[in-house]
Amino acid sequence: MSVPQGKVISTDTAATSEVEPISSLLAHPLLQDPKFVAAAGGLVVLLIFLSLFRSGKKTSRRSGPTTVLLVGPSDSGKTSLFAKLVHNSYPQTHTSIQPSITTFPFSSPFSDGQTKPVKLVDLPGHPRLKDELKKYVKEASVVVFVIDVQALVRNSAAVAEEIPPILTALSNLSVTTQTFEPIKVLFLAHKTDLLVRPTPSNDQSPPDLPETSLATAKDRVKSILTREMDKLKSSRGGSGGKIEGMSRVSGSSSGSFFSRLFGSGSANTSVGLGEGDEEIDENLIWGGKGSFDWNDVEGVEISFGASGLGIPSNDNSQKEKEQGNGLDEIKNFIWEV
C-alpha cells in the first residue's frame, strides 16, 4: 500500500528504558548485608560526631573576652599603647621587664555606646623574654606587632628577626587546632605622629593624623619588612629552618583531608606549644618558591595599620581632650574581632 506524501507512519513501539530503576540499586548484594549496613551507618555517625566535636573545640579556644597580644621590639611603644587603651592616659614609660595584663570594657570606636570585654596583654620585647609568648599564644584572639616606624630604617633586620617565631607559633596553632577563621595579626606602624610636619597639635589626645601620613607609614613598614622577610626566606626558608625556645614540629606540616578536618595530624607529625618544647618548624610561613608573600603564611591573616599618640603627659588633662584619629585603626581592628 502506498503512503501519501507528507504522511508519517506512527508506531506503537515504546522506547526501551536505559535507566536502571532505584529498586534494583537497593537490591545490591552489599546493601543486603547487615554487617555492611551497620558499618556504613557507624561511619556516618562517627563523622558527624567528630565534626561536632571539632566545632566545639574551635569555639572553645575563643570563648571569654577578646584577648589581644601586644608584641614587638623593645621601645616600640607597646606599654604606652597599653596605658592609652586601658586608662586613656599617655604617661612617660620605661622598658617593661614583665607582662602587663588586664581585662577591661573596650568601648566601640563608632561612638554608639557599646562595649565588650577585652583582655589586653603587653608582652616585653626583650630578647631574653621571648618565651613569654608561648604562655599566651593559645588564648590569643588577635596579635598586634608594634613597630617604631621612625626607627625601623636603622634596625629593620633586627625587627624582622622577631617576626618568624611569632608567625610560626600562630600558624602551627591555627593549623593544628583547625580554626575555621585564620588568626589575625596587625603590623602597627606606631609613632606615625613623628613623621608629620608640622608636628600635630597637642589639643587632641591622640592627635589627628593626616591620611597621607598614615598611608605613608603603613607602606614604609610593609615594604621594609617584606624586603627583610624575603632575605630571611632566601637564607633559611627553603631548608626548613628551625626556631628554638618555643615549641616543636617534626615531620610533615600537612596531612590528609580527614586529619586536617579533625585535627589529628599525620602519623609523623608532632606539634607542641607547651612547656618543655624546644623548636618549631618555620615551613608554614614561607610558602612556595619565589619571593616572600604575606599571603603565604598559612592559617594567619596579616594586615597593616598605623597609629600615633602625640606628646606624653603625666597629668589627667588628656582624658578631657578631644580624641583625634591616632588610634582609630588599632581600635577598629580590635573591635571587629
Side-chain angles (χ1 to χ4, degrees), residues 269-283:
T269 301
S270 174
V271 180
L273 287 170
E275 297 292 338
D277 294 326
E278 297 178 353
E279 58 182 22
I280 51 179
D281 195 342
E282 290 184 358
N283 288 330

Side-chain angles (χ1 to χ4, degrees), residues 151-296:
L152 181 62
V153 176
R154 62 177 181 270
N155 62 3
S156 58
V159 173
E161 285 283 353
E162 298 190 24
I163 297 176
I166 295 172
L167 292 185
T168 305
L170 295 173
S171 185
N172 277 281
L173 179 65
S174 180
V175 169
T176 55
T177 57
Q178 289 299 297
T179 53
F180 285 122
E181 295 184 359
I183 300 174
K184 295 183 178 181
V185 176
L186 175 69
F187 284 91
L188 188 67
H190 193 42
K191 304 183 183 180
T192 299
D193 52 292
L194 300 179
L195 303 180
V196 179
R197 295 292 181 271
T199 303
S201 170
N202 199 35
D203 294 336
Q204 295 175 312
S205 180
D208 207 40
L209 305 178
E211 292 297 329
T212 53
S213 298
L214 294 171
T216 298
K218 287 184 284 188
D219 290 343
R220 175 185 293 188
V221 166
K222 185 175 182 179
S223 62
I224 292 177
L225 291 184
T226 301
R227 180 192 67 205
E228 295 297 334
M229 290 293 286
D230 193 50
K231 293 179 182 178
L232 290 176
K233 179 178 180 178
S234 299
S235 64
R236 67 193 191 193
S239 59
K242 303 287 184 179
I243 303 176
E244 297 182 354
M246 289 178 61
S247 57
R248 183 175 185 174
V249 178
S250 61
S252 172
S253 62
S254 61
S256 66
F257 168 78
F258 290 104
S259 67
R260 293 179 66 81
L261 177 62
F262 302 124
S264 59
S266 63
N268 296 325
T269 301
S270 174
V271 180
L273 287 170
E275 297 292 338
D277 294 326
E278 297 178 353
E279 58 182 22
I280 51 179
D281 195 342
E282 290 184 358
N283 288 330
L284 288 175
I285 73 171
W286 296 122
K289 295 181 179 179
S291 301
F292 175 78
D293 190 332
W294 299 101
N295 295 320
D296 288 339

